[in-house]
Structure formats: C-alpha cells, structure tokens
Amino acid sequence: MSRTLIAAYGAASYFLFLGTFLYLIGFIAGIGVPKGVDDGPLVAWPLALGVNLGLIALFGVQHSVMARPGFKRLWTRVVPPAAERSTYVLLSSVALIVLYLAWLPMPAQVWSVEASWLRGLLWTLFGLGWAVALVSTFLIDHFDLFGLRQVWHHWRGTECPSHPFFTPAFYRWVRHPLMTGFLMVFWLVPDMTVGHLVFSAGMTAYIVVGTLYEERDLIAAFGERYRRYAASVPRFIPMPGRRTGE
Ligand SMILES: C[S@@+](CC[C@H](N)C(=O)[O-])C[C@H]1O[C@@H](n2cnc3c(N)ncnc32)[C@H](O)[C@@H]1O
C-alpha cells in the first residue's frame, strides 16, 4: 500500500473514532443525539438484556483481543504494521456504532435525583470525567493511541520509536486515569434507567478485565519497574498519601 494511502487511512480512522467518541457523550447523557442509551424499540426485557450484553461483549472482545501483542504479531502479517493501530481504531469505532444502532432501551428507573444542586454536581462530575479521559489520552500520547503517530512516521519514512514507561501527572495518582474518567461518566449521572445501568455495569466489567490484561503486558514489557508502580499506586481511585513520582 502506498504511504499516502496509509496516511489517508490513518486520518480517516482517527476522524471516525473522534466522531464515535463524541457521540458516546450524547449517547450516555441522552442529549443531542438521535439515539441515546434510553431510546429505541421496546422489547421484552430478557431479549433487551441479551442483545445489550452481546453488544458490550462484542466491543470488549474486539477492544481487548486486538490490543494483545500476540494478536498484533499475527495481524501484522495481514495489515501493514504502520496501519495496525489505525485498523484497531477503525474496528473499535465500528463496534461502537453497532452498539449505538442495535442497543435496546430498558426504561425502568433505577434512580432519578431531584435536588437541583445534586443534579448540577453530578453533571459537573460527568463533564469532569470526560475531561479526565481526554487529558489522559494526551498524557499517554493521544496521537500514538489513535494511530496517527504511526502513519505519520511511515509517511515520512522515519522509524516510530516505542514509548518508554512513564507516569505523567494523573498517572502518579492512579494507574489508569483514562479508565477513571470513563468510570466517572458511566456512573455519575443524575438519572439511571435499567438499560443505562446494564451499559455502565457491562462497561465497568470490561474495564476491570481489560486493565488486568493490559497490566500483564505492561509487566512483560517493563518488569519490576511496573510491579513497583502497581504496588504503590492505586488502579482507578486515587488515595491520599499513595502516589509515586517517576
Ligand atoms: C488506552 S491506553 C490506556 C492507558 C491506561 N490504562 C489508562 O487508563 O490511563 C493503553 C496503552 O497505554 C499504555 N500504557 C499504560 N500505562 C502506561 C505507562 N504508565 N507508561 C507507558 N505506557 C502505558 C499501554 O501499554 C497501552 O498501550
């Protein structure tokens, strides 16, 4: 494949992911999108539950299996190595779009906060969660995570160096601040239906399992250094007095 084609593929995958990521904000909040987590045809709850869990599993399997070094080694025999991350990003977007389209509502209310000050506080924390997630992508390397760095180096004909282990800013307080941001936006909402709860609980389960696999790879890559970091820094929730500087 030509360098320009791979660069265009990388850029297209990035912008598609940006769109699906922005859609996720509206999907969860139920604001500003044609179909949110509580919209869609009403069906019997066992069917809705089965379909929704299947959609989360589809996203979780795609997102976790394709991120493993062993899978990447096999996969890069099929796709050019420079386009591997962009393909991951593209297929993650496809899995999310399928989830948005096929998601079935389960409208029974689990909680609905009435006090306006508390609603305001929860919406503020919801917004803060998105900010934490976005800033974390830049701390770890936004353009690498979304495949643009790889296609850019390939386009210029330069080597794309792999990242060292580091613990910038939020990474001194928690090991997975990007996931902390996601956990905030999944749970800190003033209104929660059963369907929304299934989404939040399913995605939380995926995050817990996904980060276990990620840490196994990080220990394989960085060894004792990562083990020491994991022993002193909490996974998702910052604890006063427990942080490390690298
Ligand atoms: C989607 S990012 C998520 C990072 C982290 N789990 C979080 O929630 O903030 C996953 C990538 O970040 C890398 N990564 C995670 N922690 C890292 C660290 N402290 N230093 C360097 N790379 C790291 C992993 O190897 C993986 O390629």
Side-chain angles (χ1 to χ4, degrees):
M1 239 195 271
S2 86
R3 285 191 207 177
T4 306
L5 204 60
I6 289 184
Y9 174 74
S13 302
Y14 175 75
F15 284 110
L16 181 68
F17 190 79
L18 212 57
T20 50
F21 182 81
L22 288 177
Y23 193 99
L24 187 60
I25 302 176
F27 183 77
I28 296 175
I31 297 169
V33 293
K35 185 169 181 286
V37 70
D38 293 320
D39 302 320
L42 281 177
V43 299
W45 73 262
L47 177 62
L49 182 65
V51 169
N52 292 343
L53 290 179
L55 291 167
I56 292 171
L58 179 76
F59 173 78
V61 167
Q62 177 277 325
H63 218 64
S64 265
V65 172
M66 287 190 74
R68 301 284 69 80
F71 184 90
K72 288 184 195 173
R73 271 194 296 278
L74 292 175
W75 187 226
T76 45
R77 292 183 193 164
V78 183
V79 297
E84 179 273 324
R85 189 69 190 178
S86 296
T87 307
Y88 175 80
V89 167
L90 176 70
L91 294 179
S92 302
S93 305
V94 170
L96 274 179
I97 291 168
V98 170
L99 185 146
Y100 300 151
L101 290 174
W103 187 263
L104 292 168
M106 302 173 79
Q109 201 82 39
V110 180
W111 73 69
S112 183
V113 171
E114 284 195 0
S116 57
W117 69 268
L118 191 50
R119 291 187 75 81
L121 178 65
L122 286 169
W123 281 127
T124 303
L125 292 171
F126 179 81
L128 198 65
W130 287 110
V132 168
L134 187 66
V135 170
S136 299
T137 69
F138 282 97
L139 291 174
I140 205 85
D141 190 339
H142 181 85
F143 298 109
D144 183 83
L145 271 188
F146 296 106
L148 283 180
R149 180 170 169 258
Q150 295 82 333
V151 297
W152 168 249
H153 276 286
H154 183 256
W155 187 71
R156 295 186 59 196
T158 51
E159 199 197 330
C160 182
S162 57
H163 267 298
F165 169 69
F166 59 166
T167 59
F170 299 159
Y171 285 83
R172 295 197 190 128
W173 289 290
V174 287
R175 310 202 293 277
H176 303 286
L178 177 52
M179 301 304 141
T180 302
F182 279 121
L183 293 172
M184 288 172 73
V185 303
F186 292 153
W187 293 104
L188 299 177
V189 288
D191 303 298
M192 180 67 86
T193 59
V194 172
H196 193 158
L197 187 85
V198 168
F199 179 82
S200 297
M203 285 301 198
T204 300
Y206 161 67
I207 285 175
V208 170
V209 175
T211 49
L212 286 179
Y213 281 100
E214 183 184 321
E215 294 207 319
R216 210 178 58 173
D217 295 341
L218 284 163
I219 288 170
F222 303 114
E224 198 45 43
R225 208 165 158 211
Y226 195 85
R227 277 186 210 280
R228 275 204 310 274
Y229 173 61
S232 62
V233 174
R235 201 138 63 119
F236 304 120
I237 302 173
M239 305 270 188
R242 281 194 74 191
R243 62 178 176 158
T244 188
E246 275 280 322

